[in-house]
Amino acid sequence: MKKCISFDNQKFTYIQLIYQFLFNDYLSIEDMRCILHDNKKSEAEEEVKEIIITKRDYTNKIYTYLEERKFLKYIEEGESMSARSFGINFIHSESEALSHDQLQSMKYKVVATITLMTRQVISANVPLEDAYGTSDIYIRKVDSATSSQRLNEVFMHSIIDFCALVKKNKKANYPFWIRNCIEYINQNLHKNLSLLDISNELQMNPAYISNQFKKIVGISLRDYINKRKVEEAKFLIQCTNVSLLEISTTLSFADQSHFSKVFKKYTDISPNQYKNKLKK
């Protein structure tokens, strides 16, 4: 049953006079009710459309996330061909533009994807120097790309190289305790990790851990921890609005000065300079 739309006679009389003056036609009370009813129907339809659009946008974001996980799984397994065919669709998928300039928007997507690939190969125990070095090389190439074609070439080659790193690393076969040590560090970057903490976790002699870690991995345990913290800091600067002070605290640096010193040691620039560079 439809709701009755009501209004007082005095107001309706004024409306009739104005309507007759403007259109030289008579407006009945039934005509008025139809107009009001149609307007309310139109508003309801607009609300339904808005709900549908919102739901579609939300569904697209879920789909993009699932696609991202599939893509990163291929990277982790070193499946270059599958990753490339998946990656090009992922980059060119219809999603919210990150810049008014189409090429710049694509660059942002590629840099974000390179960051994700870097983190993924590190979790697959690729040595830090190899992962970070590859990331830095390709981010510079992305920055200098002047066409979408060149950007696609750079992106495809980055996938090939990251997959090659994974395959190469699989031959390294770190000892079980080294893999456990790396996993423990990666899961506890928010803590002020010490050699004693790791020794207690692994139930192994601290001196043995320190000597063998450097011998097998190629860098000292402290360098590995600091490099992982810096990489996490770079990710937080790139992908969140968290302040540098909060990042420093979250990653358990002694203070912001210590954070800046460690960050600069491995990147040659300060956290603030890195943040400003991303804005350009």
Side-chain angles (χ1 to χ4, degrees):
M1 184 176 178
K2 291 181 181 177
K3 262 188 174 180
C4 180
I5 300 170
S6 61
F7 34 81
D8 61 61
N9 290 333
Q10 187 177 7
K11 285 182 181 178
F12 181 64
T13 301
Y14 284 132
I15 293 169
Q16 278 183 311
L17 289 170
I18 293 168
Y19 188 89
Q20 189 169 2
F21 174 76
L22 291 173
F23 302 103
N24 196 27
D25 197 6
Y26 176 76
L27 180 69
S28 70
I29 193 166
E30 283 303 315
D31 291 333
M32 188 63 180
R33 282 185 173 138
C34 285
I35 291 169
L36 291 173
H37 176 71
D38 288 342
N39 283 342
K40 285 185 175 291
K41 183 180 178 182
S42 177
E43 289 173 8
E45 286 173 350
E46 287 302 315
E47 287 178 6
V48 170
K49 284 179 184 177
E50 189 175 340
I51 291 168
I52 291 170
I53 290 168
T54 302
K55 186 176 180 182
R56 184 167 62 242
D57 288 344
Y58 179 68
T59 303
N60 286 341
K61 285 177 182 175
I62 294 174
Y63 175 79
T64 302
Y65 174 75
L66 294 176
E67 295 293 287
E68 176 189 301
R69 297 318 304 165
K70 285 182 182 179
F71 169 73
L72 292 176
K73 187 67 177 173
Y74 289 134
I75 296 296
E76 185 180 0
E77 293 171 353
E79 297 293 335
S80 174
M81 187 177 294
S82 299
R84 275 179 286 165
S85 61
F86 225 88
I88 199 67
N89 292 329
F90 180 67
I91 288 299
H92 291 281
S93 63
E94 291 185 8
S95 59
E96 187 176 352
L98 302 176
S99 170
H100 294 300
D101 182 272
Q102 187 177 5
L103 181 61
Q104 191 62 45
S105 184
M106 281 184 64
K107 283 185 177 184
Y108 288 144
K109 288 182 181 180
V110 173
V111 169
T113 307
I114 287 172
T115 302
L116 290 173
M117 288 193 289
T118 304
R119 292 164 64 84
Q120 194 71 21
V121 300
I122 287 172
S123 71
N125 296 326
V126 167
L128 290 173
E129 291 84 357
D130 293 341
Y132 296 156
T134 302
S135 172
D136 291 344
I137 288 169
Y138 279 104
I139 286 175
R140 283 194 290 269
K141 288 183 177 182
V142 168
D143 184 57
S144 62
T146 56
S147 69
S148 58
Q149 182 180 355
R150 174 57 183 160
L151 193 57
N152 285 334
E153 290 173 1
V154 169
F155 182 53
M156 290 298 101
H157 281 107
S158 73
I159 292 174
I160 292 169
D161 281 357
F162 276 113
C163 287
L165 286 178
V166 172
K167 288 181 178 179
K168 178 183 175 183
N169 184 66
K170 285 180 179 178
K171 298 176 182 177
N173 292 323
Y174 283 157
F176 182 70
W177 74 266
I178 288 279
R179 296 198 297 273
N180 279 350
C181 180
I182 289 172
E183 183 179 357
Y184 178 75
I185 292 168
N186 289 337
Q187 291 178 354
N188 293 276
L189 292 174
H190 61 287
K191 295 180 180 178
N192 184 19
L193 289 170
S194 67
L195 177 58
L196 184 60
D197 293 329
I198 294 169
S199 171
N200 291 335
E201 175 64 22
L202 300 179
Q203 296 184 345
M204 293 174 66
N205 182 277
Y208 179 85
I209 291 173
S210 180
N211 292 332
Q212 290 300 307
F213 189 96
K214 185 172 183 178
K215 183 178 178 180
I216 295 169
V217 178
I219 58 173
S220 71
L221 187 62
R222 176 47 56 192
D223 270 342
Y224 184 89
I225 293 170
N226 284 341
K227 281 195 172 186
R228 284 294 293 116
K229 283 179 180 280
V230 167
E231 184 61 17
E232 191 67 15
K234 287 169 69 178
F235 175 77
L236 292 171
I237 293 169
Q238 286 181 27
C239 304
T240 72
N241 293 320
V242 179
S243 70
L244 295 179
L245 177 59
E246 287 175 299
I247 292 173
S248 171
T249 304
T250 299
L251 295 174
S252 292
F253 285 96
D255 51 41
Q256 202 165 356
S257 175
H258 178 233
F259 169 49
S260 184
K261 183 179 178 181
V262 173
F263 191 99
K264 192 168 185 177
K265 178 182 177 181
Y266 298 106
T267 65
D268 294 323
I269 56 175
S270 69
N272 199 47
Q273 288 171 325
Y274 181 78
K275 188 173 185 177
N276 291 334
K277 189 178 178 182
L278 294 173
K279 293 177 181 178
K280 293 179 182 178

